[in-house]
Amino acid sequence: MPLALTHARYQLLETVRIPIAIFGSAFFPAAAMLFFVVPFGGKDPVGATFATASMVTFSVMSANIFQYGIGVAEDRAQPWDPFTRTLPAGPAPRFAGRISAGLVITYLSLIPVVVIAATLTEARIAPGAFLLALATVGLISVPFTLMGLSIGYALPSKAAIVVAQLVFFPLAFGGGLLSAPGAAPGFIESIAPYLPTRGAVELMWAAVGDHSVNPWSLVMLGVWVVVLAALAAWAYRRDEGRRFS
């Protein structure tokens, strides 16, 4: 545990030195809140609450895909990374520290969205539901963390930047994050249950309001977690083998 906390502190200090990383994760969801949710749905308490949950999911996805996908790829290019892999503590403290720091950054990136919802819309949430939503954020971070790790360990930094950008917006649009529950265009509603973003946002909708989760979306979210975990493990072992073969 102390080693994991040390690694987490190191990761957070690196991020604080370049705060644009947190700003970038928070910008698009906050901008979407200001330009779309506030003027068009801000007066409807139910709609504004669900829209805020969607933007929270948007922010969670953005923070994790980019910070792990690009951050891991950039770390691999530094001399420090292969050195840490030779230490007797093994990879577990580094992974635990990176994940812990990533969760902190994820929660920080949600602050603008929550503040905008609380001050500029009629979104309302009970204290118990708010705590449930906070816990749900940690849960839905899992598939996007694994996706980011897969990209980061499989690709060099320049390619990781491109791939992270290519997967980000299609997942957001295809998962229905920019529409109210059940209000997306027909073709979006058809493909959404098969994407991890849909299962994630449905969990957020259920946490903040009266929404019945589509069981198929949860099944597919579980499938995505298993597949992405296997992909991340394969990418890490392949990178490890290339460095020490």
Side-chain angles (χ1 to χ4, degrees), residues 8 17 21 32-33 42-43 47 49 53 88 90 101 123 136 154 186 189 193 200 209-210 212 234 240 245:
R17 292 191 180 106
M33 285 288 294
K43 299 300 182 181
T49 302
T136 304
E189 292 292 335
D210 183 16
S212 298
W234 168 81
E240 191 89 355
S245 60

Side-chain angles (χ1 to χ4, degrees), residues 46-138:
V46 174
T49 302
F50 281 132
T52 301
S54 297
M55 291 303 101
V56 165
T57 307
F58 195 106
S59 186
V60 169
M61 179 178 64
S62 171
N64 286 283
I65 289 179
F66 284 101
Q67 73 170 313
Y68 292 113
I70 299 173
V72 169
E74 290 179 344
D75 286 351
R76 287 170 50 230
Q78 304 300 320
W80 174 252
D81 185 72
F83 170 73
T84 58
R85 298 192 188 195
T86 65
L87 299 177
R94 289 191 301 113
F95 273 117
R98 183 180 288 276
I99 298 302
S100 299
L103 279 174
V104 172
I105 295 170
T106 297
Y107 281 107
L108 288 175
S109 71
L110 301 180
I111 293 176
V113 171
V114 174
V115 170
I116 291 170
T119 58
L120 300 179
T121 77
E122 296 298 322
R124 295 294 180 265
I125 185 171
F130 182 77
L131 294 177
L132 179 59
L134 287 178
T136 304
V137 165

